[in-house]
């Protein structure tokens, strides 16, 4: 390591650096020691999931965890929210309950998707303006505000407003979190790390089921709907330990900072094989305030590190914005890519269409209607209390199956996991429809578990993963926003259309879901490439 670069790292990680991750400060020292040691150093391309990488990923996953918590928070406590339990202890001056009809309660439930759609469409802009990590920090505001509005609601309108605001935060989180995970992950384990996003969502749903069951009396429903406040505060307390995405920093011409963060994440000084792929794919222009970065294959720094050291190098990776860089921030490769123009770029058009079909098709599989049916199916055979416990076991199965997908996605690949999941879902949904039509309650209950076990390891997380792998860093934010917007639209359409269609054709409605699974499966088989072990830029070029 050159003397100038050592000075740059010291200046970058010193006590006067604003909001720099403690992980980064620690690993900067370790990197300096590694560089000074004798013997060959491993390339970052062969690195595994290191502790700094895992800690940053787990902290950021608190955001999608909040989405999972909020999406299911009104399922269990409906009866005690709309009907006052006068026999329960009354420990608050707030209204005991919020009487409303089914139509208003449906509004309170579904308006969450409206907020999610708006949040998803704005997430790409936020991720580019404030960075991945910084945008999620600002995104804590709607989570905090939404939880407070619901916990202290004095009217159904106030409860619905809290759901809308929480939906905004949820829409942002499930766009940026998987994007961040893919950008900090080593190539060999990108699938495993990215599936932490889906695992966090299903853990959030499970937590809601548990809290809802424990707080299912009297005014305790306020604890259930306000519980998201704890998760939001937890993220605000821990976010400083996560680092900013090095790919985001590189795309904004912060090449020195990006290398430092990447070395910390990979625990190796040799990151040039990895960053050279970013350079060749993005054709990054020279920074405006210093000569274009030159970096030898052995990691020896030159002009930009020297300039950074001379100017004090007060670059902050931990801040919410992009301040502190020694270069003028700006997107690489020319014109900005936004949600309004991404489809005008020929190189992104195919990827854009595919992520829309992946996310919209996921909702056409009928997974949400399966959860809708779970309570009514179980209550036909068991008491209300036993049904609640069994519903919780479905949540546990969801977590276990998702975790199993995370363990095998980088071993077997995306396509095998996706297609096996969709095929198993087609069989399971068919069995569920037949069981409901014939009145086979036990078969219907078993089918519920089969559908969840089929969906969770493949068709649940893979669309989120592929959505972050199909776009290079220039279009990642806009592409992610469109993908999740399609998911929210699909959720809304299925929720609105399901009951009317069921009244018209009965259990044949499940045939529509099976048909959608088969049709999407054919499209994905033809057009979706295998992305296992390949650099994101390479994948984006193949789709261009």
């Amino acid at each position: 390591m050159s003397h100038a670069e050592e000075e740059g790292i010291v200046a970058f990680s010193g006590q006067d650096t604003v909001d720099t991750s403690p992980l980064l400060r620690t690993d900067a020292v370790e990197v300096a020691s590694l560089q000074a040691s004798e013997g060959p150093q491993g390339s970052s391309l062969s690195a595994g999931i290191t502790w700094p990488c895992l800690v940053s990923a787990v902290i950021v996953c608190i955001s999608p965890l909040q989405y999972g918590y909020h999406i299911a928070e009104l399922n269990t406590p409906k009866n005690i929210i709309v009907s006052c339990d006068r026999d329960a202890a009354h420990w608050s001056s707030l209204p005991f309950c919020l009487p409303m009809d089914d139509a208003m309660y449906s509004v309170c439930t579904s308006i969450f998707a409206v907020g999610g759609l708006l949040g998803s469409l704005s997430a790409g802009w936020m991720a580019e303006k404030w960075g991945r990590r910084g945008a999620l920090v600002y995104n804590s505001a709607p989570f905090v505000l939404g939880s407070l509005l619901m916990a202290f609601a004095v009217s159904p309108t106030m409860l619905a407003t809290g759901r809308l605001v929480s939906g905004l935060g949820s829409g942002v989180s499930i766009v940026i979190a998987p994007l961040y995970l893919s950008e900090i992950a080593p190539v060999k384990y990108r699938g495993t790390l990215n599936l932490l996003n889906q695992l966090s969502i299903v853990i959030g749903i499970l937590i809601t089921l548990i809290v809802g069951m424990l707080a299912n009396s009297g005014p305790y429903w306020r604890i259930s709907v306000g519980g998201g406040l704890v998760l939001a505060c937890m993220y605000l307390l821990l976010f400083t330990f996560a680092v900013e995405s090095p790919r985001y920093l590189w795309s904004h011409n912060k090449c020195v900072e990006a290398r430092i963060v990447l070395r910390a994440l990979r625990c190796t000084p040799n990151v040039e094989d990895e960053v050279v792929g970013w350079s060749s794919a993005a054709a990054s222009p020279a920074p405006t305030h210093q000569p274009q970065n030159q970096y030898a294959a052995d990691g020896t720094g030159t002009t930009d590190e020297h300039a950074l050291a001379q100017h004090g190098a007060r670059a902050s990776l931990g801040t919410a914005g992009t301040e502190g860089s020694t270069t003028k921030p700006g997107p690489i490769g020319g014109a900005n890519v936004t949600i309004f123009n991404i489809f005008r770029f020929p190189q992104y058009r195919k990827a854009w269409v595919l992520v829309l079909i992946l996310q919209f098709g996921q909702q056409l599989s009928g997974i949400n209607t399966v959860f809708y049916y779970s309570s009514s199916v179980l209550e036909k055979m068991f008491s209300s209390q036993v049904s609640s416990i069994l519903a919780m076991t479905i949540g546990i199965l969801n977590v276990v199956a998702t975790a199993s997908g995370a363990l095998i996605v980088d071993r077997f690949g995306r396509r095998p996991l996706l297609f096996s999941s969709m095929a198993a879902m087609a069989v399971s949904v068919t069995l569920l429809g037949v069981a409901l039509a014939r009145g086979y309650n036990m078969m219907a209950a078993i089918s519920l578990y089969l559908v969840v076990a089929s969906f969770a390891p493949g068709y649940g997380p893979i669309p989120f993963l592929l959505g972050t792998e199909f776009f290079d860093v220039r279009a990642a934010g806009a592409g992610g926003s469109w993908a999740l917007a399609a998911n929210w639209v699909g959720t809304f359409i299925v929720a609105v259309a399901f009951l009317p269609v069921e009244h018209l054709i009965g259990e044949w409605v499940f045939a529509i879901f099976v048909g959608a699974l088969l049709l999407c499966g054919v499209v994905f088989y033809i057009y979706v490439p295998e992305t296992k072990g390949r650099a994101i830029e390479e994948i984006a070029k193949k789709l261009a």
Side-chain angles (χ1 to χ4, degrees), residues 6 29 40 46 104 106 146 236 269 275 302 309 346 354 389 393 437 492 536:
E6 290 178 0
V29 177
S46 60
M104 185 62 197
S106 296
L236 288 173
V275 300
T302 55
L354 280 177
I389 295 174
T393 64
F492 182 79
I536 291 176

Side-chain angles (χ1 to χ4, degrees), residues 73-281:
E73 65 192 345
L74 291 187
N75 290 359
T76 304
K78 176 185 176 182
N79 292 333
I80 60 172
I81 291 177
V82 301
S83 302
C84 295
D85 182 5
R86 298 297 180 185
D87 295 329
H90 197 182
W91 40 259
S92 172
S93 59
L94 294 169
F96 209 77
C97 61
L98 303 176
M100 66 185 93
D101 56 22
D102 286 344
M104 185 62 197
Y105 198 83
S106 296
V107 170
C108 291
T109 302
S110 60
I111 201 171
F112 180 83
V114 177
L117 174 61
L118 297 175
S120 293
L121 290 174
S122 62
W125 172 81
M126 292 175 64
E128 289 302 312
K129 181 174 178 60
W130 295 311
R132 290 28 170 165
R133 172 180 174 273
L136 290 176
V137 174
Y138 286 120
N139 191 50
S140 295
F143 280 131
V144 170
L145 180 59
S147 296
L148 289 174
L149 285 171
M150 288 186 288
F152 295 96
V154 296
S155 67
T157 301
M158 189 171 174
L159 181 68
T161 302
R163 288 281 291 171
L164 176 66
V165 174
S166 296
L168 284 169
S170 297
V172 172
S173 69
I174 58 173
V175 172
I176 299 179
L179 175 60
Y180 175 90
L181 294 173
S182 285
E183 290 184 345
I184 69 168
V187 174
K188 292 195 304 180
Y189 298 100
R190 188 171 58 235
T192 297
L193 201 70
N194 187 278
L195 261 65
L196 289 180
N197 172 71
Q198 185 71 11
L199 184 60
S200 300
I201 293 173
V202 297
I203 290 176
I205 294 173
L206 179 60
I207 292 174
T208 305
L209 293 174
I210 295 173
V211 173
M213 188 173 64
L214 296 176
N216 196 23
S217 65
Y220 295 104
W221 62 268
R222 295 186 181 275
I223 296 176
S224 180
V225 299
L229 181 63
V230 176
L231 298 175
C233 292
M234 185 186 303
Y235 181 75
L236 288 173
L237 289 173
L238 296 176
F239 83 90
T240 186
F241 289 92
V243 298
E244 181 56 271
S245 161
R247 295 172 66 90
Y248 167 78
L249 294 167
W250 186 273
S251 72
H252 284 64
N253 295 328
K254 298 184 177 182
C255 300
V256 180
E257 296 95 317
R259 281 191 175 90
I260 294 172
V261 173
L262 191 59
R263 288 169 182 159
L265 290 172
R266 302 290 181 263
C267 289
T268 178
N270 293 340
V271 298
E272 292 314 300
D273 288 344
E274 190 166 349
V275 300
V276 76
W278 304 350
S279 301
S280 61

Side-chain angles (χ1 to χ4, degrees), residues 209-487:
L209 293 174
I210 295 173
V211 173
M213 188 173 64
L214 296 176
N216 196 23
S217 65
Y220 295 104
W221 62 268
R222 295 186 181 275
I223 296 176
S224 180
V225 299
L229 181 63
V230 176
L231 298 175
C233 292
M234 185 186 303
Y235 181 75
L236 288 173
L237 289 173
L238 296 176
F239 83 90
T240 186
F241 289 92
V243 298
E244 181 56 271
S245 161
R247 295 172 66 90
Y248 167 78
L249 294 167
W250 186 273
S251 72
H252 284 64
N253 295 328
K254 298 184 177 182
C255 300
V256 180
E257 296 95 317
R259 281 191 175 90
I260 294 172
V261 173
L262 191 59
R263 288 169 182 159
L265 290 172
R266 302 290 181 263
C267 289
T268 178
N270 293 340
V271 298
E272 292 314 300
D273 288 344
E274 190 166 349
V275 300
V276 76
W278 304 350
S279 301
S280 61
S284 177
T288 56
H289 287 92
Q290 58 193 54
Q292 184 169 359
N293 175 45
Q294 301 287 331
Y295 227 88
D298 62 357
T300 305
T302 55
T303 54
D304 55 354
E305 287 84 352
H306 189 256
L308 184 63
Q310 286 181 330
H311 287 86
R314 297 178 182 268
S316 172
L317 296 186
T319 57
T322 58
E323 305 86 22
S325 176
T326 57
T327 65
K328 182 179 179 181
I332 57 179
N336 291 335
V337 180
T338 69
I339 60 171
F340 303 108
N341 66 6
I342 185 172
F343 40 82
R344 296 179 183 175
F345 291 82
Q347 65 268 39
Y348 300 131
R349 200 167 291 149
K350 181 178 178 180
W352 176 71
V353 172
L354 280 177
V355 296
L356 293 182
I357 299 174
L358 278 163
Q359 292 287 355
F360 190 78
Q362 183 198 66
Q363 293 307 307
L364 290 184
S365 70
I367 184 63
N368 287 328
T369 63
V370 169
F371 284 110
Y372 169 81
Y373 261 105
S374 61
S375 298
S376 60
V377 168
L378 294 173
E379 286 175 358
K380 290 179 180 179
M381 295 180 290
F382 307 100
S383 66
S384 178
Q385 184 176 4
V386 173
S387 297
S388 297
I389 295 174
L390 291 176
M392 189 171 64
T393 64
I394 292 179
I396 295 173
L397 174 63
N398 202 6
V399 172
V400 173
T402 302
S404 68
L407 294 176
I408 64 176
V409 65
D410 283 314
R411 174 172 296 186
F412 297 104
R414 284 57 160 157
R415 282 171 59 94
L417 197 58
L418 176 64
F419 295 136
S420 60
S421 173
M422 295 178 72
M425 275 200 76
V427 174
S428 303
V429 173
T430 300
L431 289 176
L432 179 60
V434 171
L436 291 173
R438 298 285 185 172
Y440 301 154
N441 292 334
M442 184 58 70
M443 179 178 170
I446 294 173
S447 298
L448 289 174
Y449 285 89
L450 291 177
V451 172
V452 173
S454 302
F455 176 82
Y459 207 17
I462 295 299
F464 289 92
L465 170 59
L466 293 177
T468 66
E469 294 182 322
F470 283 178
F471 300 99
D472 58 32
V473 68
R474 182 182 172 204
S481 289
W482 270 110
L484 270 299
N487 188 288

